[in-house]
Amino acid sequence: MTIASPAPPATNPASWLNNQPYLLLSLSSLFWAGNIVLARHVGAHVPPLTVTTIRWFGVFLILLPFSWPHLKRDWPALRKSLPLMLFLSLVGFAFNNAISYWALQYTEALNALLIQSAGPLFVALWSLVLFGVRLTGGQLAGIAISLIGVLVIILRGDLAALASISFNRGDIMFASSLVAFGIYSAFIPRRPKVHQLSFLSFTTCCGALMLLPTAVWEAWSGNVIQFDTVTLATLGYILIFPSTLAYLFFNRGVALIGPNRAAPFFHLVPVFGSAMAILLLGEKLQPFHLIGYALVLAGVVIASRQGSAAK
């Protein structure tokens, strides 16, 4: 009689995903691309400070039932690192998101995507200035190659179009949000060693509380949110994808491979944004799209496969 071998234990999909940094970072970029496209589309319809406050309070409430046991266990570590946690709440959640939503009321999507492509440079800059972490040659080459790919896509293959782009106050505001997020990214590996649900719940709650006075001021100024179909649909997407899931995925990805290796994945944001325009808005796929996509993906692969930067 032959005894059957025991079946191998089933792989938990969540556990598997939690250890796939490249997939996690790619999904974060996809969700953030959708956020930029949507925010630009409804920018004049929703008050930016109020929406950002609702965004982070909403994420906190969504996560709280799952994060509460971890928060109770991790509270001593969170309290010990309270100044750092409040700082991360400010730069990564309150300022970064509020100013980017506000900026999209004044700038064009083309400018926002162009500025977004500088995200990896801000991460590398702050990692160097704050902690002495230098880019390796492979990481620098990967960022440069993917940046060229981004420019090819945004400028539709005509690099001379750079000369015709003008910048306004919205562009400066959007750039400042990337400066803040670069600081956040550089500090992520130095955050307290707590569960990621504890970290995200704490920072989203603090970020929302920091923004609450600005939302009150915005409503008092007459810019009151209207809970119509457009607003509710916008909030639904924002709460789930670019907020809860994207930040969980991004934080985990950076924790696994470090900020400099993760930074080139920012270049996937305009790639996904242009792909959304093709699929959802009926734009035609052009040769420059394919060239740009290939350059971005090549740069991301080159940069992310290198070893840790020297210190």
Side-chain angles (χ1 to χ4, degrees):
M1 180 177 177
T2 302
I3 300 176
S5 300
T11 301
N12 185 331
S15 297
W16 175 83
L17 179 62
N18 197 46
N19 290 289
Q20 306 300 317
Y22 306 137
L23 178 56
L24 292 169
L25 293 166
S26 298
L27 289 173
S28 296
S29 296
L30 174 63
F31 298 153
W32 284 330
N35 188 45
I36 290 177
V37 173
L38 180 62
R40 175 58 185 160
H41 180 67
V42 302
H45 185 80
V46 293
L49 301 177
T50 304
V51 165
T52 312
T53 306
I54 294 174
R55 173 183 183 177
W56 295 129
F57 268 132
V59 171
F60 171 69
L61 293 176
I62 290 172
L63 292 177
L64 188 58
F66 309 99
S67 64
W68 181 245
H70 303 292
L71 279 169
K72 289 193 296 184
R73 184 195 64 205
D74 293 334
W75 174 242
L78 292 170
R79 183 174 56 187
K80 184 178 180 180
S81 301
L82 188 59
L84 174 60
M85 293 297 296
L86 292 176
F87 179 70
L88 292 176
S89 301
L90 174 64
V91 296
F93 295 87
F95 178 82
N96 164 49
N97 287 269
I99 203 71
S100 62
Y101 280 140
W102 200 354
L104 285 167
Q105 294 190 348
Y106 301 102
T107 189
E108 298 295 326
L110 174 64
N111 289 33
L113 290 171
L114 182 61
I115 296 168
Q116 177 77 37
S117 67
L121 302 180
F122 287 118
V123 175
L125 174 64
W126 286 117
S127 295
L128 174 63
V129 170
L130 296 173
F131 305 112
V133 178
R134 300 188 301 273
L135 288 170
T136 65
Q139 290 167 354
L140 182 59
I143 289 175
I145 292 170
S146 58
L147 179 58
I148 293 172
V150 168
L151 293 177
V152 169
I153 295 169
I154 293 174
L155 301 176
R156 306 180 70 82
D158 181 14
L159 295 182
L162 274 173
S164 63
I165 294 179
S166 59
F167 295 96
N168 57 31
R169 62 172 176 170
D171 302 319
I172 297 173
M173 293 164 65
F174 197 86
S176 70
S177 74
L178 287 180
V179 172
F181 198 75
I183 297 173
Y184 172 84
S185 301
F187 270 97
I188 282 295
R190 285 139 178 102
R191 68 181 178 88
K193 304 301 182 184
V194 298
H195 195 278
Q196 60 176 339
L197 287 177
S198 300
F199 176 79
L200 192 57
S201 294
F202 187 91
T203 48
T204 53
C205 181
C206 290
L209 290 172
M210 292 174 182
L211 287 167
L212 185 58
T214 69
V216 172
W217 168 82
E218 189 174 56
W220 179 79
S221 300
N223 196 1
V224 181
I225 190 169
Q226 303 293 327
F227 288 100
D228 54 20
T229 302
V230 173
T231 301
L232 293 176
T234 300
L235 288 174
Y237 176 82
I238 289 174
L239 286 174
I240 296 171
F241 294 101
S243 303
T244 305
L245 294 180
Y247 272 81
L248 282 172
F249 292 174
F250 178 79
N251 290 344
R252 178 59 177 168
V254 171
L256 289 173
I257 66 173
N260 280 342
R261 292 175 64 195
F265 284 83
F266 281 117
H267 285 158
L268 291 178
V269 174
V271 170
F272 286 134
S274 65
M276 288 177 184
I278 292 169
L279 295 174
L280 303 177
L281 303 179
E283 292 190 8
K284 185 179 179 181
L285 182 66
Q286 301 284 354
F288 66 80
H289 287 119
L290 300 178
I291 295 171
Y293 295 161
L295 287 170
V296 171
L297 293 176
V300 168
V301 170
I302 291 170
S304 62
R305 290 178 66 86
Q306 297 300 313
S308 299
K311 185 171 182 179

